[in-house]
Amino acid sequence: MSPEKSLLLTDLYELTMMQGYHYHRMEGLATFELFVRKLPKNRNFLVFAGLEQLLSFVEEARFEEEEIHWLAQQGFKKDFLDYLKNFRFQGDIYAMAEGTIFFPFEPVLRITAPIAQAQILESRLMNIIHYQTLIASKAIRFYLVAAEKKLVEFGLRRAHGSEASLFAARASFIAGFSATSNVLAGKMFSIPVTGTMAHSFVQAHDVEELAFYNYAVANPRNVTLLIDTYDTERAAKHILSLAPRLREKGITIEAVRLDSGDLDYLSRSVRSILDSGGLKETKIFVSGSLDEYKLEELVKSGAPIDGFGIGTSLDTSSDCPYLDCVYKLQEYEGKPRRKRSTGKATWPGSKQLFRYFNDSGIMQKDLICLAEENYPAVALLQPVMRQGKRILPKEDLGEIQRRTLRSLGNLPPRLKTLQPAQTLYPVEFSPSLVNLKDKLEREEIQG
Amino acid sequence: MSPEKSLLLTDLYELTMMQGYHYHRMEGLATFELFVRKLPKNRNFLVFAGLEQLLSFVEEARFEEEEIHWLAQQGFKKDFLDYLKNFRFQGDIYAMAEGTIFFPFEPVLRITAPIAQAQILESRLMNIIHYQTLIASKAIRFYLVAAEKKLVEFGLRRAHGSEASLFAARASFIAGFSATSNVLAGKMFSIPVTGTMAHSFVQAHDVEELAFYNYAVANPRNVTLLIDTYDTERAAKHILSLAPRLREKGITIEAVRLDSGDLDYLSRSVRSILDSGGLKETKIFVSGSLDEYKLEELVKSGAPIDGFGIGTSLDTSSDCPYLDCVYKLQEYEGKPRRKRSTGKATWPGSKQLFRYFNDSGIMQKDLICLAEENYPAVALLQPVMRQGKRILPKEDLGEIQRRTLRSLGNLPPRLKTLQPAQTLYPVEFSPSLVNLKDKLEREEIQG
């Protein structure tokens, strides 16, 4: 079984707790919720992503014989292992739609299932949702400052492993990117795949122009030539003499790529060289350790750049490589539960989240309430799985992207900045929820 | 085919360049080297890791029929696709041993193969080596400040995807960790797996003491109880009355875990409570958003803590989530090559790396030279694959860990700090290498 599908991709304590629940016949229904405890610095909002991979993981989740055999060697009990043989997740899941903008303390996902079933999912569930949400929330920052430009995900080499690279391509596409360089991501998620050439191809030829010619002839579609291996402006001039030779063969130089140096200066200089030779249609694509701040600078300065390749800073969410998200037990056997650990206390009970919009469709406030409450607003948690069967069909990624960008369109403009907003988005708690929390606190003190 | 083994897990340009090499019958031998361009802030050295996964990827690398079919739909040419059908890597690889300490500009890996074969490996090769090296280099910082403590990798939930979590467990074990909570990592890499319990287990019981009792009875081996769900010190006192009841059943409380609050204060207070009840053998294990600085502080203050669970800061290398590593063409058809891009120029030629030690075995300096040169010192790049067959047998992970710690023992003490050292480790370039670079620069100017 491939590692990403294995139920052993979990923390040991999920299994020992599960053995505990099984041993003591604790089979009551539990509700767990996933939420982020606080916004990282430099984020005014987050973007939910990863639900598709979670649902497919949960639906297929089972223990293989060989895995059970291995667990036996680790000292798990026969009774428990027999139970694992027939393990299937049979619970319900409510979740936000992928691409939904959200804020701290808002449940993005709620699971209700016999406690052992809800517990065993914890580690991998967070692993899947955390990373894609992290990356969608980072990627949208590039979109915020360069929505008119072509944004391409380039981060495979420095993403944290294979799955991170694939998920980063998916999550950034959700958040407004146009394409990825990751071939397998393109195949798996139907994301457009684009690419240029590397310095090595140029270096492997004695003469740069020959490298350009050879590349274009062998790859006549979507020719993008990397022109900074030796001297960017000189290479741009050589492009002028190369273009007619390629045109004779029916090949167009779609774009040139700059990967180093002063990108503002060079893009202007290269643009003027290309224009002077009649290559007004040849686009300029740039890359090289770019983050959203450099993008904002280049876009604001009016540098004639058509597209950006974004790698490391995106795939590692380098300014903020994790979110403080948690998966917490909120209810067991119908009774609300909360944790009181210093600095980590939680809101009890099974919850719903409503969003209010003004007449122009701009988000006004969110309200976190108990699951059974109803408000005249949009309920963001919707059923996506019932009794272990997904009811949310697999969504088209383009559709998710459009939803994300609509969601962004509804966001108050003050939050659409790279810098922290002066006034955060208002998230309120319903009176019933506040009452429940107060009641539990009083009981705890008296107890 | 599972994603992590697919050759399509690559950047598109590797395939288009490959098509270029194939189209123009460029089949000459190329040498590429992998190196890090600069030390991140707060790192005085790096630790090489990930070779095992790289070798097994390279040895098995091939294109599946279904993948070739998909590539055909993307416009790749029939001739090229026929060639991919029989693709095997047939080159040579030299590399450092895993666990070797290294510095910027030092080649950690050198590949010589027909250029298309060496090129196609680039993206995934970096993806594998970069992340494990990043994590080993982060993990060793925890070991630097807490070598006497038990260090356990806990980061699955916030690691960047499934493979990151597995690689993080492996790389941190290499760098001195004792165990992981990741069950699958334990199974795959034979790393000890340990775990405690989560707050949810406590919350699912009406009374905390019952949760402790139930957990211990169901999991009688290696009982570690989490005591901070409500009131840490009160819970510690309850442990005193629970211990004799469990002892009657032959169960020992191995440890308690603290996951929040003032860990220095609480560990002392809990230690004294446990000691007062005769539980001197019960260990104290702590976790909760720990990084190496907090560890250093707790260790220096003498807090009576026996072990640490380290999650997010380790698995994401949160203070530095990437290394500036590159894979560069150094030689093609016997001719040295270099890139001159602004700020990214490289040292040309196929290289070797020698390390000098003083009489006490402490590292004195490193020397980067041409591959054919020989110096009276230890050559760090050794053959690990010849003509596509690995010659380095799979190594025992414990053996790699011992090598890493020996390597650390040889490091000048001034570099073994969390803070940047005043004087960096000396890395020199051989006269022949300097001459070659100068010669190429002169030719470039004249040419």
Side-chain angles (χ1 to χ4, degrees):
Chain A
M1 161 173 286
S2 58
E4 75 278 8
K5 295 189 175 176
S6 172
L7 269 174
L8 295 193
L9 188 63
T10 193
D11 292 301
L12 181 65
Y13 75 4
E14 313 289 7
L15 285 166
T16 57
M17 286 190 285
M18 214 177 167
Q19 180 159 267
Y21 297 134
H22 181 258
Y23 186 92
H24 298 287
R25 303 284 174 260
M26 289 175 65
E27 292 159 356
L29 284 183
T31 295
F32 283 80
E33 290 171 357
L34 180 67
F35 59 97
V36 170
R37 280 192 288 221
K38 60 173 185 288
L39 280 179
K41 66 175 166 56
N42 300 337
R43 300 283 187 281
N44 293 320
F45 62 93
L46 300 168
V47 177
F48 180 62
L51 182 61
E52 173 58 37
Q53 283 65 44
L54 175 67
L55 293 178
S56 101
F57 171 72
V58 171
E59 209 177 34
E60 293 171 24
R62 52 217 54 187
F63 290 90
E64 303 275 302
E65 279 218 18
E66 171 261 342
E67 295 177 332
I68 289 174
H69 182 72
W70 184 82
L71 288 174
Q73 296 165 353
Q74 312 307 307
F76 285 92
K77 295 172 182 171
K78 182 161 184 323
D79 240 33
F80 175 59
L81 295 173
D82 286 344
Y83 154 77
L84 291 189
K85 279 182 193 160
N86 300 310
F87 174 86
R88 299 283 184 282
F89 180 78
Q90 294 158 311
D92 298 338
I93 304 183
Y94 281 67
M96 288 183 177
E98 289 197 82
T100 303
I101 284 175
F102 73 96
F103 304 91
F105 290 107
E106 298 186 344
V108 297
L109 190 115
R110 187 178 85 211
I111 293 195
T112 302
I115 191 162
Q117 293 179 24
Q119 184 76 63
I120 185 66
L121 297 184
E122 176 179 33
S123 309
R124 178 61 167 149
L125 176 151
M126 289 180 65
N127 177 267
I128 291 173
I129 299 287
H130 168 267
Y131 182 64
Q132 285 203 48
T133 296
L134 177 73
I135 299 306
S137 304
K138 175 74 171 179
I140 207 158
R141 292 165 60 79
F142 292 91
Y143 185 83
L144 277 180
V145 298
E148 307 302 312
K149 309 289 188 179
K150 179 171 181 167
L151 298 172
V152 183
E153 187 277 319
F154 259 21
L156 164 57
R157 63 194 58 199
R158 298 205 196 92
H160 292 182
S162 56
E163 194 174 70
S165 78
L166 296 165
F167 283 0
R170 182 178 188 275
S172 57
F173 187 80
I174 286 178
F177 273 55
S178 305
T180 177
S181 64
N182 188 322
V183 181
L184 189 59
K187 178 169 181 282
M188 285 174 69
F189 304 124
S190 303
I191 301 171
V193 183
T194 69
T196 62
M197 66 201 300
H199 298 102
S200 54
F201 193 87
V202 176
Q203 292 169 270
H205 292 78
D206 288 329
V207 180
E208 191 179 37
E209 295 92 298
L210 180 62
F212 292 162
Y213 179 84
N214 276 354
Y215 182 85
V217 168
N219 296 281
R221 304 198 307 184
N222 309 114
V223 174
T224 298
L225 301 173
L226 174 64
I227 63 172
D228 78 325
T229 306
Y230 305 115
D231 180 318
T232 303
E233 291 166 289
R234 201 178 65 179
K237 287 175 195 149
H238 288 140
I239 294 284
L240 296 188
S241 50
L242 178 64
R245 286 173 60 206
L246 288 175
R247 209 175 298 125
E248 280 171 21
K249 292 177 163 281
I251 301 171
T252 308
I253 301 174
E254 300 274 349
V256 295
R257 175 162 75 107
L258 318 178
D259 187 51
S260 58
D262 178 342
L263 295 174
D264 190 314
Y265 167 78
L266 287 172
S267 63
R268 291 175 202 273
S269 162
V270 167
R271 181 75 274 157
S272 112
I273 293 167
L274 295 176
D275 287 353
S276 75
L279 296 183
K280 288 182 192 294
E281 303 298 314
T282 302
K283 294 188 162 54
I284 295 178
F285 190 80
V286 308
S287 57
S289 310
L290 296 173
D291 63 18
E292 62 269 43
Y293 298 100
K294 286 187 203 149
L295 244 68
E296 185 177 46
E297 209 179 294
L298 289 167
V299 170
K300 280 192 173 166
S301 84
I305 294 168
D306 301 285
F308 296 94
I310 316 286
T312 308
S313 70
L314 172 63
D315 282 38
T316 66
S317 186
S318 57
D319 67 326
C320 159
Y322 64 90
L323 300 174
D324 185 15
C325 62
V326 290
Y327 177 77
K328 289 294 168 195
L329 179 68
Q330 309 291 16
E331 198 172 294
Y332 180 60
E333 291 192 320
K335 215 174 135 182
R337 312 274 165 164
R338 70 189 285 265
K339 166 179 168 186
R340 297 203 306 274
S341 317
T342 314
K344 296 182 178 178
T346 57
W347 288 82
S350 175
K351 293 184 275 300
Q352 177 55 283
L353 173 65
F354 285 93
R355 178 157 293 168
Y356 288 79
F357 295 85
N358 72 10
D359 293 345
S360 334
I362 300 298
M363 293 160 53
Q364 290 293 91
K365 67 165 185 180
D366 287 1
L367 180 75
I368 304 174
C369 63
L370 294 171
E372 65 266 24
E373 290 188 89
N374 218 334
Y375 287 89
V378 179
L380 295 186
L381 296 184
Q382 295 294 333
V384 294
M385 182 174 277
R386 274 207 204 285
Q387 298 187 316
K389 299 270 168 249
R390 58 185 289 178
I391 53 179
L392 178 77
K394 186 169 175 178
E395 296 187 287
D396 174 73
L397 212 59
E399 185 49 52
I400 301 177
Q401 186 191 65
R402 285 186 289 278
R403 181 194 297 139
T404 310
L405 301 183
R406 276 198 305 275
S407 191
L408 187 66
N410 298 334
L411 193 68
R414 72 173 190 281
L415 302 176
K416 296 189 207 178
T417 58
L418 298 187
Q419 289 68 35
Q422 293 291 323
T423 314
L424 290 178
Y425 182 77
V427 176
E428 299 175 359
F429 297 86
S430 79
S432 303
L433 180 55
V434 173
N435 282 342
L436 177 65
K437 175 166 165 280
D438 290 350
K439 179 167 162 280
L440 288 186
E441 273 174 7
R442 279 195 306 276
E443 287 174 7
E444 285 155 6
I445 291 164
Q446 287 159 11
Chain B
M1 159 173 289
S2 58
E4 75 278 9
K5 295 190 175 175
S6 172
L7 269 175
L8 295 194
L9 188 63
T10 192
D11 292 301
L12 181 64
Y13 76 3
E14 314 288 7
L15 285 167
T16 56
M17 287 190 284
M18 213 177 168
Q19 179 159 267
Y21 297 134
H22 182 258
Y23 186 92
H24 298 288
R25 302 284 173 263
M26 290 175 65
E27 291 159 355
L29 284 183
T31 295
F32 283 80
E33 289 171 358
L34 180 67
F35 59 97
V36 170
R37 280 193 287 221
K38 59 175 185 289
L39 280 179
K41 64 176 167 54
N42 301 337
R43 300 284 186 281
N44 294 320
F45 62 93
L46 300 168
V47 178
F48 180 62
L51 183 60
E52 174 58 36
Q53 283 64 43
L54 176 67
L55 292 179
S56 103
F57 171 72
V58 172
E59 210 177 34
E60 293 172 22
R62 53 216 56 187
F63 290 89
E64 303 275 301
E65 280 220 16
E66 173 260 340
E67 295 176 331
I68 289 175
H69 183 71
W70 185 83
L71 288 174
Q73 296 166 352
Q74 312 306 307
F76 284 93
K77 295 173 182 169
K78 180 158 185 324
D79 239 35
F80 175 59
L81 296 172
D82 286 344
Y83 155 77
L84 292 189
K85 279 182 194 160
N86 300 311
F87 175 87
R88 298 284 185 281
F89 180 78
Q90 294 158 310
D92 297 340
I93 304 183
Y94 281 68
M96 289 181 174
E98 289 198 83
T100 303
I101 284 176
F102 74 96
F103 304 90
F105 290 107
E106 298 186 345
V108 297
L109 190 115
R110 188 178 83 212
I111 293 196
T112 302
I115 191 162
Q117 293 179 24
Q119 185 75 64
I120 187 66
L121 297 183
E122 177 180 35
S123 309
R124 177 61 167 149
L125 176 151
M126 289 179 66
N127 177 267
I128 292 172
I129 299 287
H130 168 266
Y131 182 64
Q132 286 204 47
T133 296
L134 177 74
I135 299 307
S137 304
K138 174 76 172 178
I140 207 158
R141 292 165 60 80
F142 292 90
Y143 185 84
L144 278 180
V145 298
E148 306 303 313
K149 309 290 186 178
K150 179 172 180 167
L151 298 173
V152 183
E153 187 278 319
F154 258 22
L156 164 56
R157 63 194 58 200
R158 298 207 194 92
H160 291 182
S162 55
E163 193 173 70
S165 77
L166 297 164
F167 283 180
R170 181 179 189 274
S172 57
F173 187 80
I174 285 178
F177 274 54
S178 304
T180 177
S181 64
N182 188 322
V183 181
L184 189 58
K187 179 169 180 281
M188 285 174 68
F189 305 124
S190 303
I191 302 171
V193 184
T194 69
T196 62
M197 64 200 302
H199 298 103
S200 54
F201 194 87
V202 176
Q203 291 169 271
H205 292 78
D206 288 330
V207 180
E208 189 179 37
E209 296 91 298
L210 181 62
F212 293 162
Y213 179 83
N214 277 353
Y215 182 87
V217 169
N219 296 281
R221 304 200 306 185
N222 308 114
V223 174
T224 298
L225 302 173
L226 174 64
I227 63 171
D228 78 325
T229 306
Y230 306 115
D231 180 317
T232 303
E233 290 165 291
R234 202 178 65 180
K237 287 173 194 148
H238 288 140
I239 294 284
L240 296 188
S241 50
L242 177 65
R245 288 172 58 208
L246 289 175
R247 207 175 298 125
E248 282 172 20
K249 292 178 163 279
I251 300 172
T252 309
I253 301 175
E254 300 275 348
V256 295
R257 174 162 77 106
L258 318 179
D259 186 52
S260 58
D262 178 342
L263 296 173
D264 189 314
Y265 166 79
L266 287 171
S267 63
R268 291 175 201 273
S269 164
V270 167
R271 181 75 274 156
S272 115
I273 293 167
L274 295 175
D275 287 353
S276 75
L279 297 183
K280 289 183 191 293
E281 303 297 313
T282 301
K283 294 189 160 54
I284 296 178
F285 190 81
V286 309
S287 58
S289 310
L290 297 172
D291 62 19
E292 62 269 42
Y293 299 99
K294 287 187 203 148
L295 244 69
E296 185 177 45
E297 209 179 292
L298 289 166
V299 171
K300 280 192 172 166
S301 83
I305 294 168
D306 301 285
F308 295 94
I310 316 287
T312 308
S313 70
L314 172 63
D315 282 38
T316 66
S317 186
S318 58
D319 68 326
C320 158
Y322 65 89
L323 300 173
D324 185 14
C325 63
V326 290
Y327 178 77
K328 290 295 168 195
L329 178 68
Q330 309 291 16
E331 199 172 293
Y332 180 60
E333 291 191 321
K335 216 173 133 182
R337 312 273 163 163
R338 70 189 284 265
K339 166 179 167 186
R340 297 202 305 273
S341 317
T342 315
K344 296 182 178 178
T346 58
W347 287 83
S350 176
K351 293 184 273 301
Q352 178 56 281
L353 172 66
F354 284 94
R355 177 157 294 169
Y356 289 80
F357 296 86
N358 71 11
D359 292 344
S360 333
I362 300 298
M363 292 159 53
Q364 291 293 89
K365 67 165 185 180
D366 287 1
L367 181 74
I368 304 175
C369 63
L370 294 171
E372 66 265 23
E373 292 188 86
N374 220 331
Y375 287 87
V378 180
L380 295 186
L381 297 184
Q382 294 294 333
V384 294
M385 182 175 278
R386 275 206 204 285
Q387 299 187 316
K389 300 270 168 250
R390 59 186 287 178
I391 52 180
L392 179 77
K394 187 170 175 178
E395 297 187 287
D396 174 73
L397 212 59
E399 185 48 52
I400 300 178
Q401 185 190 64
R402 285 187 287 279
R403 180 195 298 141
T404 309
L405 301 182
R406 277 198 305 274
S407 191
L408 188 66
N410 298 334
L411 193 68
R414 71 174 191 282
L415 302 176
K416 296 190 208 178
T417 58
L418 298 187
Q419 288 69 34
Q422 292 291 323
T423 313
L424 290 178
Y425 182 77
V427 176
E428 299 175 0
F429 297 86
S430 79
S432 304
L433 179 55
V434 174
N435 283 342
L436 176 65
K437 174 165 163 282
D438 290 349
K439 180 166 162 281
L440 287 187
E441 274 173 8
R442 278 196 306 276
E443 287 174 3
E444 285 156 6
I445 291 164
Q446 288 159 9

